[in-house]
Amino acid sequence: MKRLIILVIILFGTQTVFAQLNFLPKFIRKMYFNKDSSKRPGFVVLPALSSAPETGLEVGGAALYSFYTDTLNRSTNVSSIFGYATITTKGQTKLSLNTNYWTPENKVHYLGTISYYDFPFNFYGVGNSTKLANVDLVYEKRYKVNVESDFNLGDGFYLGYVAGGFKYYYKFDGKRSDILNADPGVQDKRGGTAGYAGPTFTYDTRNNNTYTTKGIIINAYYNLMHGAFINNQYEGGFFNIEYSEFFALSKQLVLGTDIQEQSLTGSRSPFYLLPQMGSDEMMRGYYEGRFRDRNYLAGQTELRYRISNSFGLAAFVGTGEVFHSGFSFAQLKPNYGGGVRYFFDVQKGLAIRVDYGVGEKPAGEPRISGLYVALGQSF
């Protein structure tokens, strides 16, 4: 769902005017303009045009189907099926299908993703102090399947499992610094194949899973990984934990806090599995993967102001770092910025957001920054 600018946002901005005009086809008015306070399913087709530090200009299409498995129980979260296909000016192709399914009364939460990326990207090396001058263009092809089931134990506690598999393949252009090939600290330069499985834990007391105004969510998982084929000797693990809490300061003002920690375990450090700083959700503005290492710790606070049912503003500030084994407060990197929100489905709390994030200014380099556009809140 990441980094999608929806072209129909122009139409959304003139919603009040066009909603009064009956010359538009009925299915267009129903899809984009009609307000529906019921719990009936919703379907929207979204032309996509976006720009992000990793992709440049990105174009394509997306479709979102949202629905409730129980229309009588107001506590049941909204479910969705989301698919997209995009290409970018940096020669990247992305295909993805995602499901997010809540059974009645949120007794079981199922998630599933299948994706294919043909994704050339800039690689800067490993560590918290990589240099812009060392950038190397790396060609990545990635296939990934992921399934997860979380079972409601009561009082907001969920226990479940996650399983899946991936295949990464790499080559480099050999025209720049060639840091991927030359740096002995970069392991598994040609990629690899592995399967994984492990437990998940979630504690969720949010009042709404798409636009939260109060509550807590803690999500943790640990993937035990084992290589396959020529990568059969690889054994390792990946741990992730994220804590988010929301406070309703007033009817229109919400304060959210978010902390995340990731760690790669095992004797080897495949560079493509190392935690990476930067995304449209955390440490916004940093090129994703500019800084990567075996451990990653970051936190942020976001203030959300709801101007009206359809529009909102946000401002955020945060900090984070990657590190091999020892965390250092002196190595923390700054992050701040803001953005706007358009709620195209007010009843379900579904929104398009545009954020601009700013980071540190490395010595002798421009200040790090970036524009992000996505469906849904950052956390």
Side-chain angles (χ1 to χ4, degrees):
M1 287 192 185
K2 310 308 177 189
R3 306 186 191 112
L4 295 178
I5 292 180
I6 310 308
L7 293 178
V8 293
I9 195 170
I10 300 173
L11 298 178
F12 289 150
T14 56
Q15 178 177 351
T16 303
V17 175
F18 281 102
Q20 307 303 318
L21 301 181
N22 294 322
F23 67 84
L24 291 173
K26 183 178 180 180
F27 80 96
I28 293 290
R29 285 184 278 127
K30 180 180 179 181
M31 186 180 298
Y32 295 122
F33 302 123
N34 290 353
K35 297 296 183 182
D36 184 4
S37 60
S38 71
K39 285 198 168 187
R40 289 182 294 182
F43 179 75
V44 60
V45 176
L46 308 168
L49 172 65
S50 73
S51 179
E54 301 86 8
T55 62
L57 187 66
E58 182 174 358
V59 296
L64 173 68
Y65 177 68
S66 58
F67 60 97
Y68 291 93
T69 58
D70 185 351
T71 58
L72 299 179
N73 191 319
R74 297 184 62 87
S75 66
T76 301
N77 291 331
V78 61
S79 300
S80 64
I81 301 173
F82 180 80
Y84 68 87
T86 62
I87 58 175
T88 78
T89 55
K90 294 188 177 182
Q92 301 150 339
T93 302
K94 297 193 291 185
L95 303 172
S96 181
L97 180 65
N98 307 272
T99 62
N100 181 29
Y101 185 88
W102 295 86
T103 63
E105 300 180 3
N106 304 326
K107 290 183 178 179
V108 185
H109 184 201
Y110 297 104
L111 300 99
T113 302
I114 181 169
S115 63
Y116 164 74
Y117 283 15
D118 186 347
F119 203 85
F121 66 91
N122 290 333
F123 180 67
Y124 300 85
V126 175
N128 200 52
S129 302
T130 58
K131 304 299 182 183
L132 184 61
N134 291 335
V135 63
D136 191 16
L137 181 61
V138 176
Y139 294 88
E140 173 188 87
K141 288 188 178 181
R142 183 188 80 188
Y143 307 84
K144 188 172 184 179
V145 176
N146 186 86
V147 293
E148 181 178 341
S149 297
D150 299 312
F151 301 91
N152 193 340
L153 304 180
D155 297 324
F157 289 95
Y158 291 82
L159 190 64
Y161 65 88
V162 62
F166 57 77
K167 177 179 176 59
Y168 288 82
Y169 171 75
Y170 295 94
K171 64 178 181 178
F172 55 94
D173 66 357
K175 297 178 181 179
R176 292 196 254 182
S177 67
D178 195 11
I179 191 171
L180 176 65
N181 190 51
D183 188 344
V186 180
Q187 297 182 346
D188 295 353
K189 299 176 173 64
R190 295 297 179 265
T193 304
Y196 61 87
T200 68
F201 168 80
T202 301
Y203 174 66
D204 191 354
T205 65
R206 295 173 298 171
N207 62 335
N208 187 292
N209 67 316
T210 50
Y211 185 73
T212 309
T213 58
K214 63 179 179 180
I216 295 172
I217 179 168
I218 303 172
N219 178 256
Y221 63 83
Y222 182 67
N223 293 339
L224 287 167
M225 297 181 286
H226 195 288
F229 307 114
I230 62 173
N231 198 39
N232 188 54
Q233 299 303 313
Y234 174 69
E235 293 182 351
F238 191 93
F239 175 73
N240 176 88
I241 184 168
E242 185 170 9
Y243 172 94
S244 303
E245 186 169 3
F246 303 88
F247 307 89
L249 304 182
S250 70
K251 185 177 180 180
Q252 295 174 295
L253 204 59
V254 176
L255 180 67
T257 60
D258 185 32
I259 301 172
Q260 185 174 25
E261 196 278 335
Q262 297 180 337
S263 293
L264 182 68
T265 64
S267 59
R268 291 191 61 78
S269 302
F271 84 96
Y272 51 89
L273 296 179
L274 294 173
Q276 303 177 45
M277 178 185 295
S279 72
D280 68 340
E281 297 178 335
M282 179 77 82
M283 298 300 287
R284 282 163 276 182
Y286 288 85
Y287 187 103
E288 186 171 8
R290 166 67 190 269
F291 304 104
R292 67 177 77 198
D293 214 323
R294 287 181 63 93
N295 301 280
Y296 170 46
L297 179 63
Q300 62 184 338
T301 296
E302 183 168 291
L303 189 63
R304 300 169 181 173
Y305 178 66
R306 194 74 173 259
I307 300 174
S308 65
N309 282 339
S310 297
F311 292 96
L313 299 174
F316 56 88
V317 61
T319 186
E321 70 174 88
V322 298
F323 54 97
H324 185 77
S325 57
F327 172 81
S328 170
F329 282 101
Q331 294 297 313
L332 284 169
K333 300 182 184 300
N335 179 233
Y336 57 91
V340 297
R341 310 287 184 263
Y342 178 81
F343 294 86
F344 62 89
D345 190 324
V346 174
Q347 177 66 21
K348 298 185 180 73
L350 299 175
I352 301 165
R353 61 183 171 88
V354 182
D355 288 328
Y356 189 78
V358 180
E360 72 171 358
K361 186 184 183 308
E365 300 178 13
R367 182 170 294 279
I368 292 174
S369 64
L371 177 70
Y372 299 92
V373 182
L375 283 174
Q377 302 301 317
S378 56
F379 63 93

